[in-house]
Amino acid sequence: MNWITSLLGNLNYGTIFFLMMLESTVIPVPSELVVSPAAYHAAGGHLNVFLVILFATIGADLGATINYVAGYYLGRPIIYKFANSKWGKMCLLNQEKVEKSEKYFNDHGMAATITGRLIPGIRHLISIPAGLAKMTYWKFLLYTTIGAGVWNCILAALGWYLHSVVPEDQLEAKLEEYGDYIKWGILAIVLLVVVFFVVRHYWKGKKVKK
C-alpha cells in the first residue's frame, strides 16, 4: 500500500485523522507509526501535540464506529464471510481473530471496549463484537474515546521523548525497538483498568445489599 507509505511520510492533522480512522477499521495501518512520529514532529515545533492526540482519537472513533455499525447491522455470518474472504486476508483478517475479539468482549463486558483498545491484535476489532452485541452506541463511543485517547497519549509521549534522544532517520527503528516496552506498559494499564471496574462493581454490589 504505497499510498499509505506516502501519507505516513507527510503527517499533518488531516492525514493523522485519516490514517487513524483506517487503523480502527480493518486496514492494517500501525498506529505507532502515525501518532509517535507526529508527536516527534510536534516536539520539534511543527505540530501541536494536543491536536495530534485529538485528531488521532477522533479518527479512531470514526473508524471504530464503522466497525460497530457493520457488526450491528450486518451480523455475524456476513462479518465472518468477509474475514475469510480474499479482501479480509488482504487486511490481515480472519475468522479466528474476530472470534478472539468476541471472546474478549464477552469475557469482560462493556469494559472490554476500553481495555480492548489497548491490546494489540484486538484493538482495531473490539468494536465489531460491540456492534454484534447491540451495545448502546453512546456508551460504546464514550468507552472507545477513553481507550483510544489513552493509547494515543502513550504513543504521543513516546514520540515526544524520542525527539530529544533519537535522530529522525533512526526514529522508525527505535519505535520497533521500544515495541516490547509499549506492550508491557499497555498490559499494566489494562490491568489497572480491569481492577478499577472490578472494585467499582464490588462496591456497587455492597451498596445494593445494604
Side-chain angles (χ1 to χ4, degrees):
M1 295 185 180
N2 292 331
W3 58 276
I4 290 181
T5 304
S6 176
L7 289 175
L8 286 171
N10 183 34
L11 289 175
N12 54 51
Y13 301 123
T15 54
I16 291 166
F17 166 83
F18 181 67
L19 288 168
M20 291 303 290
M21 178 195 71
L22 294 182
E23 190 267 347
S24 281
T25 56
V26 294
I27 298 176
V29 178
S31 54
E32 60 271 20
L33 295 184
V34 179
V35 181
S36 292
Y40 182 97
H41 292 304
H46 302 294
L47 294 169
N48 182 298
V49 70
F50 297 107
L51 290 180
V52 167
I53 294 169
L54 176 64
F55 279 95
T57 303
I58 294 173
D61 282 345
L62 180 57
T65 295
I66 292 171
N67 278 2
Y68 170 89
V69 170
Y72 195 102
Y73 290 105
L74 297 181
R76 190 171 285 101
I78 295 179
I79 294 293
Y80 284 180
K81 185 175 181 180
F82 173 78
N84 292 323
S85 70
K86 179 180 71 174
W87 293 103
K89 287 180 173 57
M90 286 178 62
C91 295
L92 306 180
L93 195 62
N94 57 48
Q95 184 173 327
E96 183 181 352
K97 289 183 178 179
V98 178
E99 289 175 341
K100 183 179 178 181
S101 67
E102 282 192 85
K103 184 180 185 307
Y104 185 85
F105 183 86
N106 293 332
D107 288 347
H108 297 86
M110 290 189 293
T113 315
I114 297 178
T115 58
R117 294 291 312 182
L118 304 173
I119 300 177
I122 290 178
R123 183 172 63 248
H124 65 297
L125 296 177
I126 196 64
S127 46
I128 294 176
L132 291 171
K134 310 294 189 200
M135 180 179 179
T136 303
Y137 176 70
W138 296 113
K139 284 185 178 179
F140 162 79
L141 183 60
L142 173 63
Y143 291 174
T144 296
T145 301
I146 294 171
V150 169
W151 172 245
N152 291 329
C153 284
I154 293 170
L155 294 181
L158 176 63
W160 187 277
Y161 164 73
L162 289 177
H163 183 268
S164 62
V165 296
V166 176
E168 187 171 354
D169 60 351
Q170 297 177 22
L171 178 60
E172 187 173 340
K174 279 295 179 183
L175 287 173
E176 292 178 3
E177 180 184 328
Y178 278 81
D180 287 337
Y181 296 107
I182 294 173
K183 290 175 185 177
W184 281 111
I186 288 168
L187 289 175
I189 292 171
V190 169
L191 180 61
L192 289 174
V193 172
V194 170
V195 168
F196 168 77
F197 277 100
V198 169
V199 171
R200 193 179 75 162
H201 179 74
Y202 172 76
W203 281 110
K204 279 187 176 180
K206 285 190 70 174
K207 287 180 180 179
V208 169
K209 287 179 181 179
K210 290 180 180 179

